[in-house]
Amino acid sequence: MTYAIIGAGAVGQALAKMFARKGIEVAIASTRAPKALAPLATAIGTTVIPSSLNEAIKADIILLAVPFWAHGEVANTAKDWRGKIIIDVTNAYGVSPSDLGSLPSSAVVAKAFGAAALVKAFNHLPAGVLAQEPSIDGWRRVVFLSSDNDSALPVVSTLVEQLGYAPVNLGRLAEGGLLIQARGNTWAPLIFKDLFKKQA
């Protein structure tokens, strides 16, 4: 599997630190040129590779860490997303439910990426928490997952475990997924819940 992070803000950098901690290679891209991202990538770790957007979207698994409405611009960079897994790390805070057609925000993102499989994950914790070591005294920090794609969920669950976290599946986007999605100017019940699970 190959991995890429789209977005180099606080959340994108926190995600990159997760991969760097485990020595897993990941591309990082944004609207800035790879050369501009190079100092940031170098500071995080040698396995973080600054990339162009067009190169980054060639990865098998893409972590989307951009402002919510920017997902459309990313989706437009490829004609066919078939075979890709998109991990939606966005939050639609401040976006009116009517602007989303009353759909969960991740369902809107999933539509934009067409044939890609979408999994909501990593969005419920602030960047500062995501950047921290996920394992403490035999306990692993929980990462909630939600998806309408049954085949993508185990793949992303495995990645979450490789990164040192404990995956917890909440089910479909319109069900458990709503527990980790902003709606208008309110946060769902599990947003910002920093939970830990005992390692087996």
Side-chain angles (χ1 to χ4, degrees):
M1 284 286 180
T2 53
Y3 308 100
I5 298 163
I6 308 297
V11 173
Q13 291 178 48
L15 294 170
K17 287 175 183 175
M18 289 185 206
F19 283 84
R21 249 192 318 260
K22 298 299 182 180
I24 302 171
E25 186 172 296
V26 64
I28 187 167
S30 73
T31 52
R32 289 181 281 168
K35 187 176 180 180
L37 293 175
L40 177 152
T42 300
I44 295 173
T46 56
T47 60
V48 180
I49 313 300
S51 175
S52 67
L53 190 56
N54 285 333
E55 282 298 313
I57 62 173
K58 294 177 183 178
D60 300 312
I61 297 181
I62 297 164
L63 293 90
L64 189 66
V66 297
F68 179 73
W69 286 118
H71 76 266
E73 299 169 37
V74 178
N76 288 335
T77 59
K79 292 181 180 179
D80 188 358
W81 291 94
R82 199 179 322 273
K84 304 289 185 183
I85 294 177
I86 306 294
I87 299 178
D88 180 16
V89 194
T90 68
N91 279 310
Y93 185 80
V95 177
S96 168
S98 62
D99 290 341
L100 301 175
S102 296
L103 293 170
S105 61
S106 288
V108 175
V109 176
K111 272 188 172 182
F113 284 90
L118 182 134
V119 178
K120 186 77 170 176
F122 294 112
N123 71 297
H124 84 283
L125 294 172
V129 175
L130 283 175
Q132 295 172 17
E133 172 62 49
S135 183
I136 302 173
D137 296 330
W139 295 78
R140 290 185 299 157
R141 182 169 272 120
V142 166
V143 167
F144 295 114
L145 309 178
S146 177
S147 181
D148 293 337
N149 189 295
D150 293 335
S151 61
L153 265 173
V155 177
V156 176
S157 290
T158 297
L159 173 62
V160 169
E161 289 179 336
Q162 287 175 336
L163 293 172
Y165 296 81
V168 173
N169 180 13
L170 298 178
R172 303 282 170 175
L173 296 175
E175 297 162 0
L178 290 179
L179 298 174
I180 51 170
Q181 298 193 31
R183 194 157 181 82
N185 292 322
T186 60
W187 293 105
L190 293 181
I191 294 282
F192 305 132
K193 297 293 184 185
D194 190 11
L195 306 177
F196 286 79
K197 187 175 179 182
K198 187 73 174 174
Q199 289 182 344

